[in-house]
Amino acid sequence: MGTTYNIKVVATIEQVETLQLQQKIDAVLKQVNQEMSTYIPDSEISRFNNLQSTESVEVSAGFARVLAESIRLGELSDGKLDITVGPLVNLWGFGPKQRPETVPNDDVLSSTRARVGLNNLHLDGNQLSKDILNLYIDLSTTAKGYGVDVVAELIEANGIANYLVEIGGEMRLKGFKHTGELWAIAIEKPILDPSGEQRAVHQVVIPKDNAVATSGDYRNYFEKDGQRFSHIIDPDTGKPINHNLVSVTVIYPSSMTADGLSTTLMVMGTEQGMKFAVENELAALFISKTEHGFTEKFTVKFKQYLK
Ligand code: ADP
Ligand code: MG
């Protein structure tokens, strides 16, 4: 997934070695990559994206699980989360292809939009098919979170009850630190800085036995003529989002769902996102840019996690 991971377990070195945890974790992550990474030419997702047929194919249980949840969130959000949006992401310069850093013209935009839409994708159990040959699935909003979930499940299956798993910023934790305290997570201040060198803490949360996901467009963006272009696309316009919401944090039991929801709310913007979060009883924190700094809003459900 082109990222790093960080895992903490409360156990003795002997336990970790006897269980061969490192080897098991590497093996499951390798499998997730082989199923869902668009960076790997012969991964399951790449093979489906390149498939020149509308016939249905059988997909692995893991791939089907991520697809099913992504499609569910897509429908729940009226298409704001759309895993077929990849061609638009690439068109605007974010994706496995290099970044052109140019603004596409209207013709290219409309022909690319014609390739996008969840209605072109069909999942029935583990049978997957597409209506158009050049449909392109991109699971970058849920696959990292799924990776966190499978590692967390693996750790629990090995009898370890206290842990923290983080992959590329997606996190899930359970129980206590070795000190007996609950895990505390710092949510970053959304400083506009693509290098990621300037970092500061905005808020500390105690998520208990949950996952924490933050989606933000303050690091991954490009600037052209003074305008900032985000790597998050609004499927209703085909263009990068353009509002002053800079980051959304969601706390939810499943990391895959938290991951997908944080992006969904980011696409929606503060007003619509807040409404959706309240309706769906989500724990969500929205940080927006103002003239003088930042302002935050959170749902009632989020309040319990604030330190
Ligand atoms: P991060 O990659 O930092 O976790 P996000 O979770 O916010 O960031 O995911 C952003 C990625 O999701 C983009 O890089 C792009 O590949 C993809 N994406 C952008 N817009 C959408 C959308 N509307 N629906 C689904 N995926 C999207
Ligand atoms: Mg994410």
Side-chain angles (χ1 to χ4, degrees):
M1 292 179 253
T3 190
T4 56
Y5 71 78
N6 174 20
I7 294 164
K8 294 180 199 292
V9 295
V10 181
T12 62
I13 301 279
E14 292 74 39
Q15 264 178 300
V16 172
E17 277 170 4
T18 316
L19 291 169
Q20 297 195 297
L21 261 194
Q22 179 77 57
Q23 291 89 324
K24 288 176 186 167
I25 288 167
D26 285 339
V28 293
L29 289 179
K30 206 170 166 190
Q31 189 184 344
V32 172
N33 261 337
Q34 198 51 45
E35 288 169 354
M36 280 162 270
S37 172
T38 51
Y39 292 81
I40 300 177
D42 71 346
S43 67
E44 212 179 344
I45 194 168
S46 294
R47 280 184 282 124
F48 182 76
N49 283 339
N50 292 327
L51 182 71
Q52 294 304 304
S53 164
T54 56
E55 297 284 306
S56 63
V57 292
E58 194 176 315
V59 295
S60 68
F63 189 24
R65 186 172 150 195
V66 180
L67 285 166
E69 182 61 358
S70 306
I71 292 168
R72 183 185 75 84
L73 294 177
E75 287 168 354
L76 188 69
S77 67
D78 265 328
K80 287 292 189 190
L81 187 79
D82 188 336
I83 53 169
T84 70
V85 87
L88 287 165
V89 176
N90 292 341
L91 181 67
W92 287 95
F94 300 92
K97 302 211 179 88
Q98 84 270 76
R99 296 156 62 135
E101 303 212 349
T102 55
V103 177
N105 68 42
D106 289 349
D107 290 345
V108 181
L109 188 60
S110 66
S111 65
T112 308
R113 290 188 72 183
R115 291 176 56 188
V116 171
L118 273 181
N119 55 320
N120 297 308
L121 183 69
H122 310 282
L123 179 72
D124 183 6
N126 56 359
Q127 294 293 315
L128 186 68
S129 66
K130 54 188 176 185
D131 293 340
I132 49 176
L133 296 182
N134 58 359
L135 193 75
Y136 179 90
I137 309 175
D138 164 9
L139 294 174
S140 45
T141 51
T142 38
K144 266 191 289 177
Y146 169 73
V148 170
D149 284 334
V150 292
V151 172
E153 287 160 13
L154 171 79
I155 291 171
E156 283 186 42
N158 280 273
I160 295 175
N162 301 298
Y163 62 80
L164 179 152
V165 176
E166 180 265 339
I167 303 176
E170 306 305 330
M171 263 182 232
R172 181 167 148 179
L173 30 136
K174 191 168 163 54
F176 303 90
K177 297 194 284 186
H178 71 286
T179 57
E181 293 162 287
L182 287 163
W183 301 101
I185 305 297
I187 296 167
E188 235 181 299
K189 219 178 224 46
I191 300 167
L192 294 178
D193 171 28
S195 74
E197 280 162 12
Q198 298 177 48
R199 297 194 161 193
V201 173
H202 174 82
Q203 172 78 59
V204 175
V205 294
I206 310 270
K208 306 267 182 65
D209 297 350
N210 282 302
V212 185
T214 298
S215 171
D217 74 341
Y218 51 97
R219 190 150 298 135
N220 205 349
Y221 64 90
F222 72 91
E223 266 182 2
K224 176 101 182 151
D225 305 326
Q227 215 197 327
R228 194 159 50 88
F229 289 94
S230 163
H231 70 310
I232 295 172
I233 303 292
D234 182 350
D236 290 331
T237 62
K239 296 177 181 173
I241 51 167
N242 185 16
H243 45 58
N244 46 15
L245 178 59
V246 279
S247 97
V248 181
T249 297
V250 172
I251 298 181
Y252 197 86
S254 150
S255 178
M256 165 170 62
T257 306
D259 193 3
L261 285 171
S262 63
T263 309
T264 306
L265 297 177
M266 193 66 212
V267 179
M268 289 178 170
T270 312
E271 205 177 315
Q272 197 195 340
M274 195 64 187
K275 192 166 169 275
F276 180 88
V278 169
E279 275 168 13
N280 291 283
E281 295 179 44
L282 304 176
L285 167 75
F286 299 78
I287 304 178
S288 311
K289 180 119 190 63
T290 63
E291 225 178 294
H292 308 291
F294 300 104
T295 172
E296 63 169 42
K297 271 191 179 169
F298 48 83
T299 59
V300 175
K301 270 229 147 181
F302 196 87
K303 204 168 175 180
Q304 61 186 309
Y305 304 117
L306 293 170
K307 198 186 163 165

